[in-house]
Amino acid sequence: MTHDSPPPAGLRRRTSTTDKRPQTPPAQSRPISIPPATTRKAIDTATFYGPTKATGSSHTAYIPPERSPFREPELIMEEEPIPHDPPTWSETAASWGEPHTDWDAIATTVEEWGEQGAARKVAIDGREDKEEVHWFDPALRALRPGPGLLPPLLADLLHDPEHALYSVSTVPHPPSTAPFVPSPDEVRTAIPHPNAYYCKDHNGWVFLLWRSSTVLPPLIKEPDIPLPDQARRKRTASCVGEGEQPFGPANLTHHWHLYENAVDASKLNPPYTHGKLLLNLYLCCQCSMYCLVSDGVIPGVIPSSLVDEFTRDKLSHPAVDKTPRATVVAAWETILTILDNRLWRDEKRALPISRPRFRGKVGWGAVVQQVFEAISFPLGDLPLGDSTEPALQPPSIDPATVEGKASRSKLLRAWIEVGAWLTIFEKSKDSLQDYNPMVIFVKAESARDMYQTGIGAHVSQIARGLLPGVLQGYAELDPSWRILGMTPSTYSWELLAFAYLAQCRCDPANTMVYFTHLWTIVHTMLQLGLNVPQDLQTIITQERSRFRFTPHDLTDAVKVLGFGRDGDLHVELDSDVDDDFIAQAWRSARQRAWQNPADASITRAKLNDALRLVAEFRGSDKLLKVWNEEKGTGMSPETAFSTLEVPRDVDETMLLTVYSMRIEDQPSQGERMREALSVIAEVTNSDRLRQFLATGQDPGDGTITNTSPEMPRGLNQLGNTCYLNSLLQYFYTIKDLREAITSLAHADAKTLDDSKFTDDDLKRHRVGGRLVTRREIARSKKFVNLLAELFFNMEYCENPAITPEIELAKLALVTTQDEEEDEAEKAGTDSSNDTDATLVDDMPPRPVYDRVPSSPLQGSGSAGSVLGKRTRDGDSVMDVDSPPHVASPTERVEMAKAASPSSPSHDTQDATEFIADAIASSSKLPTPADVEMKDEAQSNRAPPLPPRKPRQTEDSVMMFGRQHDVSECMDNCMFQIETALLDFQGMATSDDDKTSPVKRLFYGKKRQRLTSLSPTDDARHQSSIHEKEDLFSHLHVNVADEGFDLYDGLARYFDDVVELGGQKKRMEVSLVDLPPLLQIQLQRVQFNRETQQAYKSQAYVKFGETIYMDRFLDSASPEKKARSKEIQAELTAARDRVQRLTQGKHAPFAPALAHVAEFLSKQTTFNLPADEALVASLQDEEKLVTEQLRIERERTAHLKQQLEDIWKDDTLAAYELTSVFIHRGSSPSWGHYFFYSRNLPDRPDAWFKYNDSDVSSVSKDEVLADTTGSTANPYMLVFVRKDCDAIETVHRFNPETIEEGE
């Protein structure tokens, strides 16, 4: 037998013949003898409830039938195990409060160490220091049961705290000779279950059982949440109660854990036999107590809404001779009498409803009729001579028939419930005046004290009234109290501390959540000027010393490390940022702290705390190891160099030699020497020294190389230039362009500067439809020379990543116009290299981001942004992960150079140097006063030009001043490449000249035609019709809505409506000549007219590996074009209708109509007149909208298929996907860029992902994946003409080819 104690309040003690009063459970468990099963008899039903006092359903025994497999229940001190004992999750796992075997050498429990301070005063066991310190480690918290709650909150959750529960019993009914009189057993078992408690407000029952038992109730299945340690629970019978813990309470109170719908009530002893009922299980993790409660109310025979409405009607329409309450009692007593007469007097006569007596007491109406129908008294006709009158027909109660047995059971239940309702109602202090209530054979006693005591929530167990008055009803703290598992009314500092510590013990993964809410409560008390107990403040201090933090602390830590849009790194700290980068950011920030020696110690301490906090938040053992090994003791650099007796400019080889000598000479100073070397490693940012400190061996001054010829090289980021890296890596994959550029890899700088061009030479050559200046030519040649050197390194360098020159980034990101305007703002500019010829411009200028074309046909440049609108719609700009502009381009370049005494190497830089470059470009660093960028030609400065109107500066800019437009960067790079490759010794060039590799690779020709929207407009505005051929380098797809593919987007580009001169015109575009490389920009910047804000569209645009451009050619079949145009118009209209019904204003409509109809048909909260016609109309409308949506979607799919069938055989202009550029971020103002490139020509099924310095192989599925719901979306697609060898993705020098040649 299993010893359990104390006996449960939820089961009944068998009463003896000498004392039939309710028995109080003994203070301590003690076994008692149990008679053999054959000698046990059922209790006499006549004396079942006892002559003295009815003890209620929670003290009611149940006599099962002979065939029942369950034993007869008794209140016993030993208990037979129910055949279900769920195993613990790990048979070998250590119990709570016992150290794990692999922790013995590392840490002991809090109890063994003896915790200091206020937490020691709080009675709580089962805590483990190792687990609490390493709360972020999933391996250490696998067996914990998760969040819990204290008894007062459990009491509120068991049932509505505003409602009372009652223990219901009956007294013997006077004898009757009528047939079919209910037996005492039938009356007693009419109560749904011995553990069912009646709620008058719901006219229903709540199943509620609590007990102390070492055996769990039969669980339906293994719970998803781990059970508390059963061995630990069995050690203590109960956390509360006199004598339960003879050596003092180990825990201040219970800590309950919820397991929803865990127990089937029909499997209990005694079973619940009135249908399916699942019970919620609450387990105390500290003792053997458990509690079972029904999830909701078991409804009574008469619905509570009818009870309430019937009662309200009587209260508002009292009888003339009665008070309102007496009228209610008289009406319900009449119903109870009708039930009593049918059950005990076999009253079979119908009840005429038109008789004055019935009308006077009960009345008649729809509600009254529904009440009687609920108790099986339907309305019928009573014969009355030649006529009939309406009367209520009593049901059969013959137990020999199925119908009679069911009606009998229902009437008995209704008799119990109406009697209980009246008993409770009559207890009110409101007077019934001289009304004399009838005798009721049902008793109801409040169970609140009983069940609150049973679960440990009684006021005698947990005091109330200690919460300061100003915090009573303080709604801002309600979430904090609830998450800690307690109620504000039961506040005491000890209980609050216990709640916090218990939550951290049982749910360590959310330790920081619980600390945040504990801190919120204490902080609020302090802000309101309340006297916070010193012990509670001490617990906060102690927890802070254990690196507990709040979300605000985490935000501050991220900022301290330099992350965030406005931080030094301008990089958001998300899951994509790896631990190595965070560690390098921390080291870099600690190194920079020495720039201000006065505050260095404080700054470094903050950085140490920030890294520890971020490491714990991410659960990173790697970062914790870095923190533990490198946090140091605060030694300054000067002290470190003097400790080792070396100068500051000592080289690393000599430093390590001296360090080894010092260690040999002074072994007792080894720790201090090591600390000094660690500080120097940090100050000099030396990986070599760090590796020496970690391994004890000098790795030398070499770097880790990646010699695999199959992998392209990455590019290190120079501060917010991730999209530039993608662009440069893309250029490198284009074979003809790469070869043209690399031919200038080692060009002499003097040759670049001294090239002479006559004015006639300048007039003969155009780039982008305009003449170029000497300054632009020199600048472009310098850019291409630097780009050629970068390409050379990408081919020959063995390092996995290469750092571009800062000057290369500056030339790529800043246009000549930017430079000229910057100089104009400084009240001067150098024009000595320009001639009159350079000012002649008879073609539209290249579009820039602050210049909007006046006509859709003006210029052929790209749109203002690859994520923005088409040029003819106006420019729109998307920034990248860019900081606010503070310094000018020249200042920022100088700052970047001043951050390092030497120029960046062409070979490689480690992650620390990348961060240093980003920091150097940050506007937060001061500009050195003695560094200035000058142009040698400025000595003979021409008179300044008239001041120009300053152009607006955007809120966020890139590393080098104003330039922050991705499309502008691409235009700027292509312009400079084309300019640098001009042959001034040859013939004049025009826009359609194909000798330039840029023109040859990227540019095609399109024909644009503007027509009026209607024939009448066409007649009136013939002069406004335009047709023109123009070059293009990009095609634009406006991305606004979901459900479109690439063909749909291009169709809109080639046939659109634009506004020109106040008139709407149709813009038709066709392709005359296609380029080898087809660049398609997905313009994602959209404008919300309601908020007047730009936003980034995350819509998914489906595309595949191949696209056929035949349908868009000027030479395409006119008949097919005409048919396609008709279908496209129908398709667009159908999609618009679907969009309006599902995504438009107030949409979606079908679910809204269904929800309104459901609410109106089922709601009981408001007293609204029933309107079945309205509900039916709403339901019909919902079906109509749903059917319309189905039809439109089917029509859309059908039209789309028709459209594709027209062009299915036109496959001559085939293009293969080669590159996909990605923007990750939800804002149009900033984000991160990377791109995918197909491994052409050798391995077309393989793809590379270029993410700055990281280049990895990825699957085709990742590239073509549906990005719905993601913020990483394609913004440019590049296709190469099929059978064209323009792309060579991997171009690496392979020494094996030379050896084979030899």
Side-chain angles (χ1 to χ4, degrees):
M1 304 297 290
T2 305
H3 295 262
D4 300 331
S5 64
L11 285 184
R12 271 61 53 206
R13 173 185 293 277
R14 179 183 289 277
T15 56
S16 67
T17 56
T18 58
D19 184 4
K20 298 185 178 68
R21 294 173 297 172
Q23 300 297 308
T24 303
Q28 290 182 312
S29 303
R30 60 181 184 274
I32 60 175
S33 60
I34 302 177
T38 55
T39 65
R40 286 179 277 170
K41 297 180 180 180
I43 299 175
D44 183 3
T45 55
T47 60
F48 185 87
Y49 296 103
T52 306
K53 181 180 179 182
T55 56
S57 63
S58 63
H59 296 269
T60 303
Y62 172 77
I63 309 300
E66 292 297 327
R67 64 180 180 274
S68 172
F70 299 99
R71 64 176 173 81
E72 180 180 342
E74 293 178 331
L75 185 62
I76 56 175
M77 304 313 296
E78 293 186 347
E79 194 170 285
E80 297 178 7
I82 296 174
H84 181 90
D85 192 2
T88 56
W89 286 84
S90 174
E91 297 296 339
T92 60
S95 300
W96 294 9
E98 300 175 1
H100 291 262
T101 54
D102 57 340
W103 296 353
D104 292 342
I106 304 173
T108 55
T109 63
V110 174
E111 291 86 346
E112 292 172 324
W113 274 106
E115 186 175 4
Q116 300 298 318
R120 190 177 179 183
K121 301 179 182 179
V122 180
I124 182 171
D125 67 1
R127 298 172 60 199
E128 294 198 12
D129 188 60
K130 175 73 173 180
E131 227 174 53
E132 293 189 359
V133 171
H134 294 81
W135 59 270
F136 48 83
D137 187 350
L140 300 183
R141 60 176 189 251
L143 299 180
R144 294 302 191 184
L149 58 153
L150 303 191
L153 182 57
L154 173 59
D156 288 352
L157 296 178
L158 292 179
H159 191 59
D160 189 334
E162 301 298 324
H163 298 175
L165 293 179
Y166 292 86
S167 177
V168 176
S169 60
T170 63
V171 296
H173 198 281
S176 173
T177 59
F180 310 134
V181 171
S183 69
D185 281 347
E186 286 183 290
V187 175
R188 178 168 44 82
T189 56
I191 297 172
H193 191 272
N195 295 100
Y197 295 85
Y198 179 72
C199 174
K200 169 182 168 293
D201 299 272
H202 286 104
N203 191 40
W205 305 82
V206 174
F207 187 104
L208 180 59
L209 179 151
W210 60 94
R211 69 164 48 168
S212 175
S213 174
T214 58
V215 180
L216 290 178
L219 303 181
I220 295 175
K221 63 176 182 178
E222 290 284 351
D224 296 330
I225 304 171
L227 292 170
D229 179 18
Q230 297 305 301
R232 176 174 179 266
R233 293 185 68 245
K234 292 177 181 179
R235 290 201 292 263
T236 305
S238 177
C239 298
V240 298
E242 293 294 332
E244 293 296 341
Q245 302 174 73
F247 301 104
N251 292 283
L252 190 61
T253 186
H254 293 298
H255 196 234
W256 298 98
H257 298 271
L258 168 63
Y259 299 87
E260 292 183 311
N261 298 328
V263 176
D264 185 349
S266 65
K267 305 299 182 183
L268 295 176
N269 186 9
Y272 179 83
T273 59
H274 299 276
K276 185 72 171 179
L277 180 62
L278 298 181
L279 304 177
N280 291 336
L281 170 65
Y282 288 90
L283 288 177
C284 177
C285 60
Q286 305 161 163
C287 69
S288 300
M289 286 293 296
Y290 70 79
C291 176
L292 293 173
V293 62
S294 53
D295 186 12
V297 176
I298 303 170
V301 174
I302 304 175
S304 60
S305 59
L306 292 179
V307 174
D308 293 342
E309 195 167 351
F310 181 78
T311 302
R312 282 195 302 268
D313 179 68
K314 298 308 170 189
L315 287 172
S316 59
H317 302 91
V320 176
D321 58 340
K322 297 183 183 66
T323 66
R325 293 184 61 81
T327 303
V328 172
V329 171
W332 281 113
E333 284 182 347
T334 302
I335 296 175
L336 183 62
T337 301
I338 293 171
L339 292 170
D340 195 282
N341 290 341
R342 184 69 191 96
L343 289 167
W344 272 272
R345 292 177 175 80
D346 195 29
E347 181 60 73
K348 301 178 180 178
R349 292 176 296 174
L351 287 170
I353 63 173
S354 57
R355 306 289 172 87
R357 186 177 180 186
F358 183 89
R359 292 274 182 164
K361 288 193 174 184
V362 181
W364 187 252
V367 174
V368 177
Q369 181 177 352
Q370 292 177 58
V371 168
F372 279 97
E373 287 176 349
I375 58 176
S376 299
F377 277 74
L379 183 64
D381 292 328
L382 177 66
L384 191 64
D386 296 334
S387 61
T388 60
E389 66 173 317
L392 297 173
Q393 306 296 327
S396 169
I397 58 171
D398 184 358
T401 66
V402 175
E403 179 184 356
K405 188 175 182 180
S407 299
R408 183 186 189 88
S409 176
K410 178 185 287 190
L411 292 181
L412 276 171
R413 171 75 70 83
W415 181 80
I416 291 283
E417 291 169 351
V418 174
W421 193 96
L422 274 169
T423 301
I424 299 167
F425 187 82
E426 292 172 3
K427 288 182 179 181
S428 172
K429 295 180 181 179
D430 294 341
S431 173
L432 300 178
Q433 290 187 357
D434 56 352
Y435 182 80
N436 186 24
M438 67 179 283
V439 176
I440 300 175
F441 301 101
V442 179
K443 303 300 180 183
E445 300 292 338
S446 175
R448 186 185 298 272
D449 289 346
M450 182 169 56
Y451 73 75
Q452 284 192 351
T453 302
I455 64 174
H458 196 265
V459 67
S460 63
Q461 298 165 317
I462 295 179
R464 269 71 163 176
L466 300 179
L467 185 71
V470 69
L471 289 182
Q472 294 177 11
Y474 197 82
E476 288 81 355
L477 290 182
D478 287 347
S480 296
W481 296 113
R482 195 170 186 87
I483 287 175
L484 290 173
M486 62 181 296
T487 58
S489 61
T490 57
Y491 161 79
S492 68
W493 84 261
E494 296 94 337
L495 195 66
L496 177 58
F498 174 84
Y500 164 70
L501 295 174
Q503 292 289 56
C504 294
R505 175 195 63 193
C506 294
D507 188 22
N510 289 310
T511 293
M512 294 306 114
V513 175
Y514 301 127
F515 177 75
T516 296
H517 290 284
L518 174 66
W519 181 88
T520 299
I521 293 173
V522 175
H523 182 66
T524 301
M525 290 181 173
L526 292 172
Q527 283 188 320
L528 295 176
L530 300 176
N531 183 21
V532 181
Q534 185 59 46
D535 289 322
L536 197 55
Q537 297 185 53
T538 302
I539 288 179
I540 294 290
T541 304
Q542 290 172 348
E543 292 297 282
R544 285 287 193 188
S545 69
R546 302 203 313 165
F547 295 97
R548 301 296 190 244
F549 57 85
T550 66
H552 180 74
D553 299 328
L554 178 62
T555 301
D556 288 345
V558 169
K559 291 180 179 178
V560 167
L561 292 174
F563 290 94
R565 183 181 177 186
D566 298 326
D568 291 340
L569 302 175
H570 312 298
V571 174
E572 290 294 328
L573 182 57
D574 54 25
S575 58
D576 291 333
V577 178
D578 58 31
D579 291 342
D580 291 332
F581 187 85
I582 296 172
Q584 295 291 15
W586 173 70
R587 292 176 182 129
S588 176
R590 279 168 52 92
Q591 180 186 14
R592 297 195 307 277
W594 294 118
Q595 296 176 4
N596 188 0
D599 299 329
S601 297
I602 297 176
T603 302
R604 287 161 61 86
K606 290 181 179 179
L607 286 164
N608 287 347
D609 291 344
L611 180 65
R612 171 67 185 258
L613 192 153
V614 170
E616 290 195 359
F617 174 74
R618 294 169 66 97
S620 171
D621 290 333
K622 178 183 288 187
L623 289 179
L624 284 172
K625 182 179 179 182
V626 170
W627 174 84
N628 189 56
E629 293 178 351
E630 300 182 27
K631 64 180 183 294
T633 60
M635 181 184 291
S636 68
E638 291 73 15
T639 304
F641 283 109
S642 63
T643 298
L644 293 176
E645 301 178 22
V646 293
R648 290 188 65 97
D649 58 352
V650 64
D651 66 76
E652 292 178 345
T653 302
M654 179 58 68
L655 176 62
L656 291 176
T657 302
V658 172
Y659 172 78
S660 300
M661 293 172 57
R662 297 283 185 264
I663 292 294
E664 289 183 11
D665 294 343
Q666 306 174 49
S668 61
Q669 297 295 315
E671 288 299 321
R672 183 170 176 78
M673 298 289 181
R674 181 177 178 84
E675 175 67 14
L677 186 61
S678 177
V679 171
I680 295 174
E682 181 181 31
V683 172
T684 59
N685 209 6
S686 170
D687 267 348
R688 180 181 181 184
L689 297 183
R690 288 195 187 98
Q691 291 183 41
F692 175 81
L693 288 167
T695 64
Q697 297 181 353
D698 182 7
D701 57 2
T703 57
I704 301 175
T705 61
N706 178 5
T707 58
S708 171
E710 297 300 323
M711 290 299 294
R713 280 358 186 194
L715 295 180
N716 298 319
Q717 189 181 151
L718 292 175
N720 317 312
T721 57
C722 50
Y723 75 86
L724 174 61
N725 285 348
S726 298
L727 184 60
L728 297 179
Q729 288 163 319
Y730 163 61
F731 283 159
Y732 186 76
T733 65
I734 304 171
K735 183 171 67 172
D736 289 353
L737 185 66
R738 181 182 64 237
E739 291 175 352
I741 291 173
T742 52
S743 63
L744 302 177
H746 302 290
D748 188 355
K750 186 175 185 301
T751 304
L752 296 176
D753 294 337
D754 291 346
S755 298
K756 300 297 182 181
F757 314 111
T758 66
D759 292 348
D760 291 338
D761 292 334
L762 294 173
K763 291 179 180 179
R764 292 203 318 269
H765 297 272
R766 297 175 182 273
V767 177
R770 69 177 182 86
L771 302 176
V772 294
T773 66
R774 296 180 186 274
R775 178 174 184 163
E776 287 175 326
I777 294 172
R779 191 180 191 276
S780 299
K781 286 184 175 292
K782 185 175 183 181
F783 168 75
V784 171
N785 178 253
L786 292 171
L787 183 58
E789 292 185 9
L790 177 66
F791 283 3
F792 179 84
N793 287 329
M794 293 173 71
E795 179 179 356
Y796 290 96
C797 184
E798 295 184 351
N799 296 322
I802 300 154
T803 303
E805 292 278 4
I806 292 180
E807 184 68 11
L808 173 65
K810 185 251 184 182
L811 292 170
L813 297 170
V814 182
T815 66
T816 306
Q817 182 181 1
D818 290 332
E819 290 182 346
E820 291 172 351
E821 293 187 1
D822 285 335
E823 291 173 0
E825 291 172 3
K826 296 177 182 179
T829 183
D830 179 15
S831 60
S832 60
N833 287 338
D834 296 341
T835 69
D836 293 337
T838 64
L839 302 178
V840 177
D841 191 358
D842 56 357
M843 292 292 288
R846 289 182 297 112
V848 291
Y849 70 88
D850 63 340
R851 193 175 298 167
V852 182
S854 59
S855 166
L857 297 178
Q858 180 185 14
S860 60
S862 66
S865 170
V866 295
L867 299 174
K869 298 285 187 180
R870 294 172 61 169
T871 308
R872 61 185 185 226
D873 294 329
D875 291 346
S876 182
V877 177
M878 171 170 281
D879 304 336
V880 293
D881 38 1
S882 51
H885 171 63
V886 176
S888 69
T890 302
E891 292 169 336
R892 302 190 71 163
V893 173
E894 291 303 322
M895 285 188 288
K897 291 186 176 180
S900 176
S902 59
S903 299
S905 168
H906 290 306
D907 296 333
T908 186
Q909 287 182 317
D910 61 18
T912 306
E913 291 171 341
F914 312 157
I915 295 171
D917 287 337
I919 298 302
S921 68
S922 172
S923 60
K924 295 184 179 181
L925 286 182
T927 304
D930 58 344
V931 178
E932 183 179 0
M933 177 178 283
K934 294 184 177 180
D935 191 340
E936 294 179 0
Q938 289 182 354
S939 56
N940 288 323
R941 181 170 300 178
L945 293 175
R948 306 182 187 182
K949 181 180 179 180
R951 99 181 136 175
Q952 291 182 338
T953 304
E954 297 291 333
D955 292 337
S956 57
V957 293
M958 291 308 299
M959 177 179 177
F960 300 103
R962 301 187 184 102
Q963 174 63 40
H964 53 84
D965 180 358
V966 181
S967 176
E968 172 91 353
C969 176
M970 173 174 271
D971 287 346
N972 189 32
C973 291
M974 294 175 67
F975 171 81
Q976 292 184 93
I977 293 171
E978 187 174 359
T979 301
L981 297 177
L982 285 174
D983 181 10
F984 285 93
Q985 305 302 319
M987 300 297 293
T989 59
S990 61
D991 276 345
D992 57 356
D993 177 46
K994 294 293 186 176
T995 59
S996 165
V998 173
K999 286 285 197 312
R1000 186 171 64 251
L1001 291 168
F1002 299 103
Y1003 280 83
K1005 185 178 293 185
K1006 64 184 178 182
R1007 177 173 289 118
Q1008 297 172 307
R1009 177 179 174 83
L1010 277 177
T1011 59
S1012 297
L1013 290 177
S1014 67
T1016 56
D1017 289 341
D1018 191 61
R1020 290 198 306 265
H1021 302 285
Q1022 286 291 332
S1023 60
S1024 64
I1025 298 177
H1026 300 272
E1027 181 171 331
K1028 179 183 178 182
E1029 288 190 359
D1030 206 349
L1031 297 181
F1032 72 91
S1033 61
H1034 299 80
L1035 298 179
H1036 306 275
V1037 171
N1038 187 34
V1039 180
D1041 303 318
E1042 300 281 357
F1044 292 83
D1045 64 12
L1046 192 55
Y1047 287 113
D1048 294 323
L1050 287 171
R1052 290 188 175 187
Y1053 174 84
F1054 287 101
D1055 190 350
D1056 203 354
V1057 176
V1058 298
E1059 187 170 328
L1060 181 64
Q1063 296 289 329
K1064 288 189 175 181
K1065 301 288 185 179
R1066 177 171 298 281
M1067 168 76 80
E1068 296 177 338
V1069 181
S1070 60
L1071 301 179
V1072 178
D1073 184 31
L1074 288 168
L1077 293 175
L1078 184 65
Q1079 301 178 133
I1080 301 177
Q1081 295 179 358
L1082 306 181
Q1083 299 167 143
R1084 295 189 173 273
V1085 173
Q1086 304 296 319
F1087 186 76
N1088 188 320
R1089 298 186 181 277
E1090 293 184 1
T1091 63
Q1092 295 294 301
Q1093 297 290 328
Y1095 68 94
K1096 176 192 171 188
S1097 170
Q1098 312 279 6
Y1100 168 58
V1101 178
K1102 185 178 180 181
F1103 58 90
E1105 292 183 272
T1106 306
I1107 185 172
Y1108 300 98
M1109 299 299 293
D1110 303 74
R1111 67 185 71 181
F1112 306 117
L1113 293 177
D1114 192 60
S1115 57
S1117 167
E1119 293 79 9
K1120 290 185 176 181
K1121 279 189 174 184
R1123 179 57 181 150
S1124 294
K1125 192 172 181 179
E1126 293 175 2
I1127 297 176
Q1128 187 67 52
E1130 294 182 47
L1131 179 59
T1132 301
R1135 283 172 168 166
D1136 287 344
R1137 287 192 291 271
V1138 172
Q1139 197 274 339
R1140 285 196 300 272
L1141 291 174
T1142 58
Q1143 301 176 33
K1145 192 174 183 180
H1146 307 306
F1149 292 104
L1153 291 167
H1155 293 160
V1156 172
E1158 182 180 14
F1159 171 78
L1160 291 177
S1161 62
K1162 295 183 178 180
Q1163 75 88 23
T1164 58
T1165 305
F1166 304 102
N1167 187 17
L1168 299 176
D1171 192 340
E1172 296 181 359
L1174 175 60
V1175 173
S1177 176
L1178 289 170
Q1179 292 172 340
D1180 291 342
E1181 190 69 19
E1182 184 266 336
K1183 293 177 182 177
L1184 179 64
V1185 173
T1186 302
E1187 179 63 15
Q1188 185 178 356
L1189 264 176
R1190 184 190 67 79
I1191 294 173
E1192 293 295 347
R1193 283 173 172 153
E1194 289 182 355
R1195 177 170 173 75
T1196 298
H1198 177 68
L1199 290 171
K1200 177 63 176 173
Q1201 187 59 50
Q1202 276 188 314
L1203 190 61
E1204 296 306 316
D1205 289 343
I1206 292 175
W1207 301 102
K1208 64 181 180 180
D1209 297 327
D1210 295 77
T1211 58
L1212 295 179
Y1215 279 79
E1216 294 180 326
L1217 185 66
T1218 178
S1219 296
V1220 179
F1221 289 75
I1222 304 292
H1223 173 268
R1224 186 181 69 226
S1226 58
S1227 169
S1229 301
W1230 57 286
H1232 179 64
Y1233 290 81
F1234 58 92
F1235 94 109
Y1236 297 103
S1237 183
R1238 197 173 189 175
N1239 192 354
L1240 296 177
D1242 300 327
R1243 299 176 60 191
D1245 291 331
W1247 287 79
F1248 293 113
K1249 178 181 179 180
Y1250 294 76
N1251 191 359
D1252 290 331
S1253 59
D1254 182 25
V1255 181
S1256 57
S1257 297
V1258 297
S1259 67
K1260 176 177 63 177
D1261 294 339
E1262 177 178 330
V1263 181
L1264 302 178
D1266 187 339
T1267 59
T1268 302
S1270 171
T1271 64
N1273 320 107
Y1275 72 89
M1276 187 168 79
L1277 309 175
V1278 182
F1279 293 84
V1280 63
R1281 192 162 53 208
K1282 199 167 185 178
D1283 300 327
C1284 175
D1285 62 349
I1287 300 296
E1288 185 184 17
T1289 307
V1290 179
H1291 183 71
R1292 293 278 303 144
F1293 171 70
N1294 188 355
E1296 296 179 1
T1297 58
I1298 298 179
E1299 294 176 3
E1300 292 173 359
E1302 294 177 353

